[in-house]
Each structure stands twice: as structure tokens, then as C-alpha cells.
Amino acid sequence: MFLQVLVSQLWNAIIISMYREHLLSIDHVQRLLYHQVDGPNGTRTLRAPPFFTHNDGNNSKSNFFPVGGEAERRISFFASSLTTALPESLPVDAMPTFTVLVPHYSEKILLSLREIIREEDQNTRLTQLEYLKQLHPVEWDNFVKDTKILAEESGFDNTPTTTATEKISRKADDLPFYCIGFKTASPEFTLRTRIWASLRAQTLYRTVSGMMNYSKAIKLLYRVENPQIVQKFAGNTDRLERELERMSRRKFKFVVSMQRYSKFNKEEQENAEFLLRAYPDLQIAYLDEEPGAKGSDPRLFSTLIDGHSEFDERTGRRKPKFRIELPGNPILGDGKSDNQNHAIVFYRGEYLQLIDANQDNYLEECLKIRNILGEFEEYNMSGQSPYAQWGHKEFARSPVAIVGTREYIFSENIGVLGDIAAGKEQTFGTMTARALAWIGGKLHYGHPDFLNAIFMSTRGGVSKAQKGLHLNEDIFAGMNAFGRGGRIKHSDYYQCGKGRDLGFGTVLNFQTKIGTGMGEQLLSREYYYLGTQLPVDRFLTFYYGHPGFQVNNILIIYSIQIFLVTRESSFLLLVSETDAARSSVCWNSSQAARHLPSGSEWQRS
């Protein structure tokens, strides 16, 4: 019975989360939730939804989920992932602490109302909101229904409908909801439309909203595992919520490294402040600059604030909680890795997850966080000293430094380029990574990966930052771990969302970045060490999984060029020989015709 209650609470939380994200309508929710009903003995029991029992007489999938929608994909992956072998999880009280770190430079934080309702081109007459509505019609319809209910409850739209004329008028009144998502330009309604559009674009708000699901998952698991906590604070929801918040803050930290926060314009400042108000536990690390003494360089500080920081009345900004003076300007390389490095001092816990500013996460995937952290194989460590003569056998296996996971390209439904990007990611980030991890040749690429922060920070750091050599900083993190005795694993039961820029120019730039980064890696000392010290079997794995892929591409392109050139040359030679033969035949035929007898002479002969 306890297991059934636990499963029902987790399942209901997932379904309600999808409803709040407008992936499901209220009709779908009613057919997917567990309900409490009166039992035969007068006791309250749980009734499984028709989704599990199929007792409604209709087995069609469309009866439970929108056809081909995001909710069906997420539930399908979550259900299939639970059939794999998961590491044993610890209670929430005993689980390790981890930090999510997001580097941010100039990526869009939250879409403005002007951006989503303004026509991009004078010839197309298509706004960004219209485009998103065409991509997500079911989610927009659910959003409009919720907005109309909210408007009626708020008193903005309380006119009753009786006659046919009034029904026609009501349809005209509902037109603004279906066009732009709101009828009155009050801030709460325009903000709802901005948030809906931002959660379906590649914005920092989408990343923060998704990664904050870790906090919701920890609270949910702690509440389900400890029913006595609910009984202890029965009737006092505020104290219960404070207890859940305390546990969430103990186990999970979220840091966004906003390099330019002190130089934001008014709009960017308002959007960042909105993030801090929506998620008070969010921490923002940024570079603060002070003018130095007369004639000296300015002083730079690595600064941390969060949603609980007080406002400074003099400057109008939040007072920093921590402020660390730096020896100089930390931005020396390509920017992103330096941005991570100056904020790494603010991470807390044993593990670190590096996330890009165009990613997403889901509540049902966050529920597996304890299983993912169990992949580091540190839950049952030996008590022996690794330096003692009698204890070395227990440390024969190398420690796990990085655990790689899958990426789902949520922009796959945007035309042919989206399908190609999603297929490439499925091949490169999942199937290839799985095979390379199994044979011990996977390096760190992709940013849902979890890092053993203590191992990585004491062995070269998580990001290399030398300009002109460390463009792909994540690959060098993997080579550091690989060359210093660490193992890199891959897990297929966990995934994060990932966005791709799908213009032809951005795709070309991405391929250029990959190729340039590989050229820089071939010049690095890490490649020299690995290429000269690895045994033959692991060297071939490393070579064909990383530099050999680019070298083989070059050889294939040259081979195709040589093939086409030689094919064309042979074809032209064949054509010239054929023309020469034809001209020779024609000349011989004309010469022979001259010596033939006339018609009368031929008849006489």
C-alpha cells in the first residue's frame, strides 16, 4: 500500500507539472490522475487512472495525450528509462550535494512583448508568436483556456452569455485571447504571454525554469519518503514548506555566471531581477569592476548575489553576499571557459553539472538525480587507505570522473535542419558516446554531463582557458580526467533538453567551431601525452573516436574530389576518342563512296 501511495504521488506531481506547462488540458489530466475513492469497508483507497487500467473502453492514445505532443514523448521516455538497471539510490537525507553551473554572456533572458508580437519581415507578415503558435497549437490552446479562466476569476471578463447575438459578440471578445494571449494590456497578462513564448524559445528563463525542477524533485521525494514530516506539520503549510525548502537548499545549488551583469542595460537588468524574484534561491555570479588608484588598472571582483540579497539604496542594485578580488582580468581565452572558471569558487557539494544557456530539464527526469549521482560509485567506499600495502586491491578500478547523459534536441520539429540536427545528436551524443564509454574511449562532450567536482578541480579544472588553443573547453576537461586516471561513463536513462541554432549560417559556424577545435586539440600537449602513452587498443579507440574522425573526413573529401576529377578526365578522353573514331569512319566512308560504280554500271555488273 505504501508503494502504491508513493507511486501515485510522484505520478500526480508529474501530470500536474505538465498541466502547468500547458502540455495537457484539464480533460487529459482527469484521465491521468490517481483519485481517492471510498473503499468497500468505508476506508479511502486509491483508484488508478484509466491510463493504467484501460477500463474506459477506448484504448486510443489520443484519449490520454495530445497526438504527437511533448507530453507523450516525455512520458514514453520516462517509462522506458525505468526498465533499465538503475543504481541504488540513497534517501534524500543522505544523498550528496550538487551544483548546476550555467555560463551566460549575451543570450536572451526573457522575450519582450515587442519581440514576440512584432513582424520580423515586412514581406512575411509573420510574428514570432504566430510562428510559435503554429509549432505548438495544442499548448497554445491550453494556454488560452487557462488565461480566459484567470480573466474571468479576476473580473476582467465577467459578462454572461445568453442569446445567439451575445454568443457571436462573445466570440469576438475572445479573439484577442487567441491572437495575442490576452485581452487587457495589464502587466500580469502580458507577462504570462511572454513567459509562454520564452519557455518555447532558446532563452535563459527556459533553462532556469527547467533546472529549478531539481528543487521541486528533492522536495517531492523528501515529502514522500518522510510522511511523518507531513504529520508533524499538519495544518501548518508554511512550516512544512520551510522544512522542504531547507532540505532543498542543503542538497542543491544553482549558479548562473552572468559575466556582464554589472553592465546590463535597463531591459536586461529587469529580466535578471525577474529571475531572482521568481526563483529566490537562484545565485548569480558576475564580474564587478572598481576604478583603481590614480594611474593604476581597475580592480576586478568575482561577486555573488541571490534572490534573498538586500537592495542598496544608493546604487539600486542588490548587495553582494560574497566578493572576491581577482589578480587581474580573468577573461583571457575565448570567454566561456573563463566565465566558468571565475564562478567555480561559488559551487558547493561533491558534484557539478555544467549546463549551457539554451538547455531545458523536466521534473520526471530530475526525480532520477539520486540514481545519476550513484553512477559515481562513491556510495560504498572502502575504509582502507589507498596507500597501504594491504588495501590497494580494493582500489584497482579507477574513480569515475564524469558521467555523460543524453541530450534531446527540442528544436527538432523546426523544418529539415531541425530533423538533421536531432539525428546528428542522436548519433553523436548518444549512440557513439555509449559505444565509446563502453570501450573506455569517451571524452567529455555535451553539457548535461555530471562531473566529480573534487576530482576535476584538483586535476586541471573543469575548463581550459587559453586563447587560440582551448576553443572546445569541455573536450580538454575529458582529456584531463582521462589522462589522470579517471573513468568516464555514459547513462542512457537520463536526458536534458538542448536547443540548436538552425540557420544555414549558424550550422556552418558550428561545424567550423568543431573543426577548428579539433585542429587546436591536435596541437595540444594532452593529445601528445595520450598519443604516446596509451596502449595500441586504447590508442586506436581514442584516435578513431576523436582526431581520426576529422582526418578520415579530410581523406574522404579528397578521395571524392580525386574520383570526380579522374572520372571526368576519363569521360572526356572517352568522348574525344569516340569523336575521333566517328570522324575516321566518316572519312573512310566518303573515300569508299568515290570509287563505287554508278547505278547503271552496278546493274550491268
Side-chain angles (χ1 to χ4, degrees), residues 38-237:
D38 293 328
N41 300 328
T43 58
R44 302 287 288 177
T45 60
L46 285 172
R47 184 184 67 190
F51 177 73
F52 294 114
T53 60
H54 295 285
N55 57 6
D56 61 343
N58 186 1
N59 295 334
S60 174
K61 289 184 179 181
S62 61
N63 201 29
F64 302 110
F65 298 104
V67 178
E70 178 72 2
E72 183 179 0
R73 182 198 67 81
R74 282 170 51 176
I75 290 295
S76 299
F77 179 82
F78 179 68
S80 62
S81 68
L82 296 181
T83 61
T84 60
L86 303 179
E88 184 179 356
S89 60
L90 294 178
V92 175
D93 278 334
M95 71 173 283
T97 305
F98 71 102
T99 299
V100 175
L101 177 62
V102 178
H104 174 271
Y105 183 71
S106 60
E107 292 84 358
K108 180 62 66 175
I109 300 176
L110 189 72
L111 295 178
S112 66
L113 187 62
R114 180 185 295 272
E115 286 175 324
I116 62 177
I117 66 176
R118 182 185 60 190
E119 296 171 353
E120 291 292 334
D121 192 350
Q122 198 172 19
N123 299 322
T124 60
R125 300 295 182 185
L126 182 67
T127 64
Q128 188 169 359
L129 183 61
E130 268 312 313
Y131 181 63
L132 292 174
K133 284 161 57 178
Q134 296 298 322
L135 289 178
H136 312 281
V138 176
E139 299 170 27
W140 177 253
D141 190 49
N142 295 336
F143 171 75
V144 168
K145 290 178 181 177
D146 288 349
T147 307
K148 288 171 64 178
I149 293 173
L150 181 63
E152 291 173 0
E153 292 177 350
S154 303
F156 288 104
D157 193 13
N158 53 4
T159 55
T161 302
T162 53
T163 64
T165 306
E166 290 175 344
K167 288 182 179 179
I168 296 174
S169 177
R170 182 58 179 263
K171 288 184 178 179
D173 291 338
D174 289 344
L175 193 60
F177 287 107
Y178 288 96
C179 291
I180 55 176
F182 54 87
K183 185 178 179 181
T184 59
S186 55
E188 57 268 25
F189 287 101
T190 57
L191 182 61
R192 278 173 56 85
T193 303
R194 292 173 59 195
I195 290 175
W196 185 90
S198 299
L199 287 176
R200 283 147 188 86
Q202 297 183 32
T203 59
L204 181 66
Y205 181 81
R206 179 174 189 167
T207 304
V208 173
S209 175
M211 294 302 157
M212 273 299 178
N213 283 320
Y214 282 126
S215 179
K216 296 179 183 178
I218 292 172
K219 293 178 187 177
L220 180 61
L221 291 171
Y222 184 60
R223 182 171 182 168
V224 168
E225 288 180 352
N226 300 276
Q228 68 274 11
I229 299 293
V230 182
Q231 297 173 3
K232 178 180 178 181
F233 299 108
N236 194 336
T237 55

Side-chain angles (χ1 to χ4, degrees), residues 376-397 399:
F376 286 96
E377 304 173 6
E378 293 187 344
Y379 284 173
N380 300 308
M381 293 296 292
S382 172
Q384 292 281 355
S385 170
Y387 302 103
Q389 292 182 351
W390 54 85
H392 67 280
K393 291 184 179 179
E394 299 184 20
F395 297 90
R397 298 196 72 188

Side-chain angles (χ1 to χ4, degrees), residues 293-304:
K294 188 174 182 180
S296 63
D297 295 333
R299 301 169 64 193
L300 284 164
F301 298 85
S302 187
T303 312
L304 185 75

Side-chain angles (χ1 to χ4, degrees), residues 530-567:
L530 293 176
T532 55
Q533 302 299 323
L534 286 176
V536 175
D537 54 345
R538 300 197 72 184
F539 170 74
L540 292 176
T541 301
F542 166 74
Y543 176 75
Y544 285 106
H546 302 284
F549 173 77
Q550 305 288 343
V551 175
N552 288 345
N553 278 347
I554 295 173
L555 295 177
I556 290 171
I557 292 172
Y558 285 162
S559 300
I560 293 174
Q561 290 178 349
I562 294 172
F563 171 76
L564 292 176
V565 170
T566 55
R567 183 76 173 176

Side-chain angles (χ1 to χ4, degrees), residues 203-268:
T203 59
L204 181 66
Y205 181 81
R206 179 174 189 167
T207 304
V208 173
S209 175
M211 294 302 157
M212 273 299 178
N213 283 320
Y214 282 126
S215 179
K216 296 179 183 178
I218 292 172
K219 293 178 187 177
L220 180 61
L221 291 171
Y222 184 60
R223 182 171 182 168
V224 168
E225 288 180 352
N226 300 276
Q228 68 274 11
I229 299 293
V230 182
Q231 297 173 3
K232 178 180 178 181
F233 299 108
N236 194 336
T237 55
D238 292 338
R239 291 186 62 190
L240 176 60
E241 185 62 27
R242 283 198 299 269
E243 177 65 18
L244 299 178
E245 287 282 354
R246 182 188 64 83
M247 182 56 64
S248 172
R249 290 170 185 161
R250 274 182 55 194
K251 301 299 180 181
F252 167 65
K253 299 290 183 184
F254 190 11
V255 181
V256 178
S257 182
M258 288 186 176
Q259 178 182 325
R260 295 176 47 254
Y261 178 80
S262 60
K263 300 179 181 178
F264 276 177
N265 57 33
K266 182 180 178 182
E267 180 185 355
E268 291 174 323

